[in-house]
Amino acid sequence: MVAHLLRLKLTLLRNSLRRSPWQIVGLVLGALYGIGMLVLLLAGLFFLSLNDPELARTVTVLAGTLVVLGWALIPVLATGVDLTLDPARFVTFAVPLPKMLTGLALGGLIGIPGAVTLLAGLASAAIWWRNPAALAAGVVAALIAVFTCLIAARVTVAASTSLSNSRRFKDVAGLVAIIPLMLLGPIIAGVSSGIGATQGYLPSLANTLSWTPLGAAWSVPGDVALGQTGQAAAKLAIAAGFLALLVWVWKVLLLRALHTPPHNAGPRRKAGKLGFFSLFPPTPAGAVAARALTYWIRDPRYGASLLIIPLLAVLLVFVGSNQEGGGPQLLLVMGPLVAFLLAFGISADVAYDNTAFALHISTGVSGTADRAGRVIACAVFALPATVLAVLVPCLMLGEGDLIPVLLGVSLAILLGGFGLSSVVSARYTYNVPLPGENAFKTPPGSGGRTMLVQGLGMLAQIVIVFPVLALAVTALLSDNPVWDWATLAGGILLGAGLLVAGIRIGGKWLDRRAPELLAAVSVHK
C-alpha cells in the first residue's frame, strides 16, 4: 500500500507536467535554482567545518531551525501547497492507518521542496566526513530532521483544516503572506545590521535553539565532532521524541479527519440587502459599477493590489533613507505611483471575471456601460487615494507649492490610465489566477504574454501623459506659479479627454469582440 501511494504521487506529478511544456520548464528551473542554492550553502559549510567547526555548527542550527519553521508555517499561509495526497481523498478507501501515515510521509519527499530538504539534511551531515562518528550520527539526525519538517507541515495543515476550508481564511492568509515578501529588502537590511551589531549573540542563540525540538537534530553531528557526545545523545533524544510526538498528533488529527471529514456549509443570509447595488443608480453602468466594486472589496485578487499600495510608502522611505539627500523626500512620488498602479489595475477585469463575463453578454450590457461601470467602481477609492497620496507627503514635508504640479501629473496618469485600461482589457487578455485561487499564483504558460501586455500597457500609460509631464518639468524649472496651475489644469483636461475616449473606443471593441473575449477567458479556467 505504501508503494501504491508513492506510485500515485508520481503519477499525479507526471500528469501535471503533461498539461503544458511550461510546467516542465518551471520544474527544471525550480530544481536548478534549488540545487544551486544548496551547493553554495553546503560549500560554505564545508569550508567552515574545516576551519571553524563551532561556527559551522552555529550556522547549521540557525538555518535548520528556519527550515523547520518554514515547513510548519508555509502550508497554513500559502493556498498553493502541494496536497495531491490529501487524506480527505481517501475517506472512502479502507487504507490501514499505519500504511497511510508512512505513504504520506514518504510522499512528501517527491517534489522539489522535499527533495531539496532531504539533500540538504544529508549534506549537512556529510560535511563532518573527517569524523566517522559525527558522520554516522549526522545521517540519523538528518533523517529525523527531514521527517520532522514533512510531518510538521502535515500536522499544521490537519490542525487548520476547519480554518483552511474557509475561503475567507485563505484570502486573508494569502494577502498577509505578501507583506513580508514586499518588505523583504528592509527586513534583510535590518536583520543584517542587527547581526553585524550582535555577532557574539548568534552562538548563544544557536546553543539555546539546539536544546529545542526545532534545532536539536541539526546540532547533533557538530556536538559529536566537538567531543560533546553526552549533549549530542541528549539532543538526539529530544529530536526523536519530538518526531514521535508529531506522528502521534498527526495520527489523532488524521483519524478525526477520516471519521468526520470537513464540509462546507453555505452561510445563511437574510434577504433584502443589496449591498453596493443599493448605492448606485439602476442603470447598466451602475449595475456594473456595483458588481465591480464588490469584487474590489471581497475578491483577494483585487485586494492584493490594494495591499501593495500602503507598503509602497514603507519601501520609498527605506530606499530614500539609504541614499544621500533622499530620505522622506522620495515620498513625493507616492501620488503618481498610486495613480499609475490603480489605473492599470482594471486592465485585467475581464480576465478576472472568467466565465461570469457571460452575464454581461446575455443581459445585453453595452460595451460603453461596461467600461464606464468598471472605471466608476475603481474611481470610488482610487480618486481620493491619489489625492491623499499627493497632499499628505507634500504637507508633511513642507512642500505645499508642489501640490498643483504633482496633483496634475497624478490625475492625468489616473484618468488617462483608466481610459487606456478600458481599451486594453477589451482587446487583450492573459491568464490570471482563477476565482478562489491564490491571488499571487502564476498560471502555467502565461508568463510571456502577461509580461508583454502589462509591459507595453504601462509604457503606453506614460507616453499618453507626456504633454502633462512636459508641463510639470517646465513648472519645476520655472519660478512662475502659472506653470504650476497650468500643469494641474492640463492634467485634469488631458486625463478627462483620454478617459472619455478610452471608454468609447473600449466600448466599441468590447461590443465587437465580446464572444471572442468570453471564449478566451473561459479557456483559462
Side-chain angles (χ1 to χ4, degrees):
M1 180 58 68
V2 174
H4 181 74
L5 290 174
L6 296 179
R7 284 195 301 269
L8 177 61
K9 179 66 178 288
L10 289 171
T11 301
L12 292 173
L13 178 61
R14 183 177 66 250
N15 291 340
S16 67
L17 296 177
R18 289 178 175 176
R19 297 177 184 175
S20 169
W22 292 107
Q23 293 269 31
I24 301 177
V25 173
L27 179 65
V28 172
L29 292 178
L32 292 176
Y33 176 79
I35 293 173
M37 294 298 293
L38 182 62
V39 169
L40 291 177
L41 175 63
L42 295 177
L45 289 177
F46 176 77
F47 288 110
L48 284 177
S49 67
L50 295 178
N51 301 302
D52 192 344
E54 182 69 32
L55 181 58
R57 184 184 64 168
T58 298
V59 175
T60 303
V61 171
L62 294 177
T65 300
L66 291 177
V67 170
V68 176
L69 286 175
W71 273 93
L73 297 179
I74 289 176
V76 180
L77 297 177
T79 58
V81 174
D82 179 18
L83 286 177
T84 49
L85 294 183
D86 188 354
R89 303 185 180 188
F90 299 96
V91 171
T92 57
F93 299 92
V95 180
L97 189 59
K99 294 183 178 180
M100 179 178 289
L101 291 173
T102 306
L104 294 178
L106 293 175
L109 297 174
I110 300 176
I112 294 177
V116 170
T117 303
L118 177 61
L119 291 176
L122 294 176
S124 67
I127 65 174
W128 307 102
W129 58 276
R130 295 195 303 174
N131 188 320
L135 176 61
V139 171
V140 176
L143 293 177
I144 293 176
V146 170
F147 281 101
T148 297
C149 293
L150 299 177
I151 297 176
R154 294 286 180 174
V155 168
T156 53
V157 170
S160 62
T161 297
S162 59
L163 288 176
S164 61
N165 284 328
S166 167
R167 179 175 176 179
R168 180 59 57 188
F169 173 79
K170 291 181 179 180
D171 298 345
V172 173
L175 295 180
V176 170
I178 195 61
I179 295 178
L181 296 179
M182 282 289 296
L183 301 180
L184 191 59
I187 290 173
I188 292 177
V191 171
S192 299
S193 61
I195 291 175
T198 59
Q199 290 183 356
Y201 175 70
L202 292 180
S204 176
L205 176 62
N207 184 60
T208 302
L209 291 174
S210 68
W211 288 100
T212 68
L214 300 178
W218 304 100
S219 176
V220 170
D223 288 341
V224 174
L226 294 172
Q228 302 171 354
T229 54
Q231 291 187 13
K235 293 174 182 178
L236 187 64
I238 292 174
F242 182 63
L243 177 59
L245 177 63
L246 283 177
V247 172
W248 178 79
V249 173
W250 185 27
K251 177 181 177 181
V252 172
L253 294 174
L254 190 58
L255 280 173
R256 182 181 303 174
L258 293 175
H259 292 168
T260 56
H263 64 281
N264 291 324
R268 296 182 179 180
R269 300 184 182 274
K270 295 181 179 180
K273 294 184 179 181
L274 299 178
F276 292 119
F277 288 91
S278 62
L279 303 178
F280 288 89
T283 61
V288 173
R291 176 175 176 268
L293 188 57
T294 302
Y295 281 2
W296 276 105
I297 300 299
R298 299 180 62 87
D299 195 324
R301 298 173 299 170
Y302 289 84
S305 59
L306 297 180
L307 181 63
I308 291 174
I309 291 174
L311 298 179
L312 280 176
V314 179
L315 292 176
L316 289 176
V317 172
F318 171 75
V319 173
S321 63
N322 287 275
Q323 296 179 353
E324 294 185 5
Q329 299 295 327
L330 201 58
L331 281 175
L332 294 175
V333 302
M334 189 70 182
L337 276 179
V338 170
F340 184 83
L341 294 175
L342 289 179
F344 199 75
I346 62 174
S347 63
D349 257 12
V350 175
Y352 280 142
D353 277 356
N354 202 255
T355 54
F357 182 64
L359 293 173
H360 292 230
I361 300 177
S362 61
T363 54
V365 176
S366 67
T368 302
D370 178 280
R371 306 288 85 186
R374 297 180 190 272
V375 168
I376 292 172
C378 187
V380 166
F381 56 86
L383 188 58
T386 299
V387 173
L388 289 175
V390 172
L391 295 180
V392 173
C394 287
L395 296 177
M396 288 178 57
L397 300 175
E399 302 285 354
D401 55 326
L402 294 179
I403 290 178
V405 177
L406 293 176
L407 194 57
V409 172
S410 300
L411 292 177
I413 293 176
L414 180 67
L415 300 177
F418 280 154
L420 178 66
S421 296
S422 299
V423 175
V424 171
S425 62
R427 182 63 182 84
Y428 304 102
T429 62
Y430 48 86
N431 290 6
V432 297
L434 297 178
E437 287 187 341
N438 191 326
F440 306 101
K441 176 182 177 181
T442 302
S446 62
R449 181 178 177 86
T450 300
M451 293 179 61
L452 181 63
V453 174
Q454 290 184 347
L456 293 178
M458 291 183 176
L459 179 62
Q461 194 172 347
I462 298 175
V463 172
I464 60 177
V465 297
F466 184 79
V468 176
L469 295 178
L471 284 175
V473 172
T474 304
L476 293 176
L477 297 178
S478 173
D479 294 332
N480 192 342
V482 173
W483 290 106
D484 298 348
W485 297 103
T487 303
L488 177 58
I492 295 175
L493 293 176
L494 178 63
L498 292 172
L499 174 61
V500 173
I503 290 177
R504 290 182 177 178
I505 296 173
K508 291 180 180 180
W509 280 10
L510 191 66
D511 289 333
R512 292 199 302 264
R513 302 192 68 255
E516 289 82 356
L517 282 176
L518 178 60
V521 298
S522 299
V523 169
H524 299 165
K525 63 181 180 178

